[in-house]
Structures are given as structure tokens and as C-alpha cells.
Amino acid sequence: MSYGRRGPNEWESEYDPLSEFEDFEDLNDPAPADSSPARDADDAASPEGPAVTVHVTDAGAVTSVVLAADWERSVDPRELGAAVLSAFTNATVQVLANQAEHAEQTPSVVRAGTPADLPDSSPLSKEDVLRLVDAASADLQQFTEQLSARADRTVSVDSSGGHVRGSARSGQVLDVRVDANWAASARNSEIELELTEVLKQLGDQSSPGELAHGPRSRAIDELHSLASDPQLFLRRIGLVS
């Protein structure tokens, strides 16, 4: 029902019998699919989490990069590389913290001696010792050169798709750059694939790998064994019985 003014002191009413029926329908119709309650339900179904997550092994090697479905809501595509670098740093720091905690909680275990652990007691001549020292020195020099080649250079890697680039030095990722225009339109799976590829290659090419365990060779190990047991060394060169 609506009202209309006819004169200064007169009002008239106009009754529309369909208006009340329409009002009744509006009260009973379900909410449209795009109404705010439906959007709120969708948001509630997606718990908030980090926009970027980098998964690494206990040794710090990258296994995958995962983007939140709505990562663009909190990260500008132009800043995606920085967000990935931050997530990678957080993951590696957590690995180091876990390693330190594990080392504190794990008691040191002294292995029982076995025949394979028994030291070599065969005689050594002066020439044998000199050859051992020369061989160990050569192995140590080779190790130093290999370690310097990895530690002293900056590695740059491009993804196979050409949309992601990164650099690293001594196992530390320095920067990650992502084509913002591509990231704004590409599928999350495509972005994750190229990011993971670059981070993995940076780790492989810049970290010391097995060199982190120090120089190892037959000559170096034998020289260490002699140095750790002076009495055995003197006995092997015939100075004591």
C-alpha cells in the first residue's frame, strides 16, 4: 500500500494487491548464490595460512614450494620473489633449530670396537711416511680447490620456463625474482613448479654438498689415525717396541 498527497490537507491511498504478495516472496526466497553469507562460508572453508610455504628436508634441501589459493590477496605479484625468499629462510632456520635441539637431546654413543676398527700396526719406513704426507697434502689441496670453487662464486639459475630467476652463494639463496605479469595470470601449479625448480638447482649448485663433511681420502684418514695415536705411530716407524 502506498500513499499520495492530493492537496494541502488531503491524502489518498493506492492499494496494490500484488505488493504484499511480492513482499512475502522476498521474505521467503533463499539468499542468492553470490550473497555475502555464501561468500563468508567459502572464506571460512579456507583457513588462513601463509601465502607461500617452502618445504625442506632435515638437511635443508628444498622439496617443494606451495602457494595459498588466494596468495594474491596478501602478496603483490611484484613481491612474490621476496615472499618466497622469506619463506625459504624461515624453513632453513627452523631446520637448524631442530638440528640443534636434536643434538642437545641425543646422548653421545661410543661405539664398541670391532675388528674393522682396529688400527693398522704394520711397520712404516721413512719413505712410507713421506709418501703418506705427500699424498695427504695433494688430497687436501684438491679439496680446498673444490670447496673454494663452490664457496667463492655466486650461482645464478633460470627456470626452464624462463619466468623465475634466483642466485645463491655458499648454499645461501641471495634473491628470487619472478615475472610479475606471468605470476598474475599463471596457474598456481605452474608458478610452484618453476619456483621449486629454481630453489632446488640453487641448492645443488651452491651448497658444499659432501664437501661439508671435510676432506676425506685414504691418505688423509691414515694420517689422522697416526696423529691421534702417537704411541702407535712411534711403534710403526720402529722408534718404540
Side-chain angles (χ1 to χ4, degrees), residues 1 10 27 37 43 65 134 160 170 178 210 232:
M1 178 179 296
E10 296 181 276
L27 292 173
D43 292 341
V65 178
D134 289 341
S160 55
S170 301
V178 181
E210 291 298 323
L232 175 62

Side-chain angles (χ1 to χ4, degrees), residues 52-55 61-67 84 88 157 159-160 164 176 178 182 188-204:
V52 182
T53 303
V54 177
H55 296 289
V62 174
T63 58
S64 65
V65 178
V66 178
L67 300 178
V84 172
F88 170 77
V157 171
S159 62
S160 55
V164 179
V176 177
V178 181
W182 169 76
N188 279 13
S189 58
E190 296 173 339
I191 304 173
E192 292 167 346
L193 184 63
E194 295 200 27
L195 287 170
T196 301
E197 176 191 358
V198 167
L199 289 182
K200 281 185 175 182
Q201 290 190 30
L202 288 175
D204 293 341

Side-chain angles (χ1 to χ4, degrees), residues 132-146:
L132 179 61
V133 171
D134 289 341
S137 298
D139 293 340
L140 183 59
Q141 178 64 30
Q142 182 180 14
F143 169 82
T144 302
E145 292 174 354
Q146 291 175 342

Side-chain angles (χ1 to χ4, degrees), residues 42-51 68 70 73-74:
D42 290 341
D43 292 341
S46 301
E48 291 186 2
D70 57 350
R73 294 179 61 181
S74 57

Side-chain angles (χ1 to χ4, degrees), residues 7-219:
N9 299 309
E10 296 181 276
W11 293 83
E12 67 174 356
S13 65
E14 297 176 357
Y15 176 71
D16 183 358
L18 295 177
S19 61
E20 292 186 2
F21 179 75
E22 292 173 351
D23 292 341
F24 179 79
E25 281 189 326
D26 291 340
L27 292 173
N28 289 276
D29 281 348
D34 60 348
S35 65
S36 57
R39 287 197 297 270
D40 292 341
D42 290 341
D43 292 341
S46 301
E48 291 186 2
V52 182
T53 303
V54 177
H55 296 289
V56 299
T57 65
D58 292 339
V62 174
T63 58
S64 65
V65 178
V66 178
L67 300 178
D70 57 350
W71 65 269
E72 289 181 87
R73 294 179 61 181
S74 57
V75 177
D76 189 302
R78 294 169 295 183
E79 300 297 328
L80 180 57
V84 172
L85 179 58
S86 177
F88 170 77
T89 301
N90 291 339
T92 53
V93 167
Q94 185 60 51
V95 165
L96 294 176
N98 292 342
Q99 290 175 348
E101 182 180 358
H102 181 72
E104 292 177 357
Q105 296 177 353
T106 304
S108 58
V109 178
V110 179
R111 292 186 308 161
T114 63
D117 296 326
L118 295 177
D120 184 5
S121 59
S122 59
L124 285 174
S125 66
K126 178 181 178 180
E127 290 74 16
D128 291 333
V129 175
L130 292 176
R131 281 195 296 269
L132 179 61
V133 171
D134 289 341
S137 298
D139 293 340
L140 183 59
Q141 178 64 30
Q142 182 180 14
F143 169 82
T144 302
E145 292 174 354
Q146 291 175 342
L147 186 60
S148 297
R150 291 203 172 203
D152 296 340
R153 68 188 179 96
T154 299
V155 175
S156 295
V157 171
D158 290 332
S159 62
S160 55
H163 303 108
V164 179
R165 170 176 291 186
S167 63
R169 184 183 180 92
S170 301
Q172 179 181 1
V173 178
L174 302 177
D175 72 326
V176 177
R177 298 180 295 278
V178 181
D179 183 334
N181 293 330
W182 169 76
S185 59
R187 293 193 298 268
N188 279 13
S189 58
E190 296 173 339
I191 304 173
E192 292 167 346
L193 184 63
E194 295 200 27
L195 287 170
T196 301
E197 176 191 358
V198 167
L199 289 182
K200 281 185 175 182
Q201 290 190 30
L202 288 175
D204 293 341
Q205 297 183 26
S206 69
S207 64
E210 291 298 323
L211 298 178
H213 300 298
R216 296 297 302 272
S217 72
R218 180 178 179 181

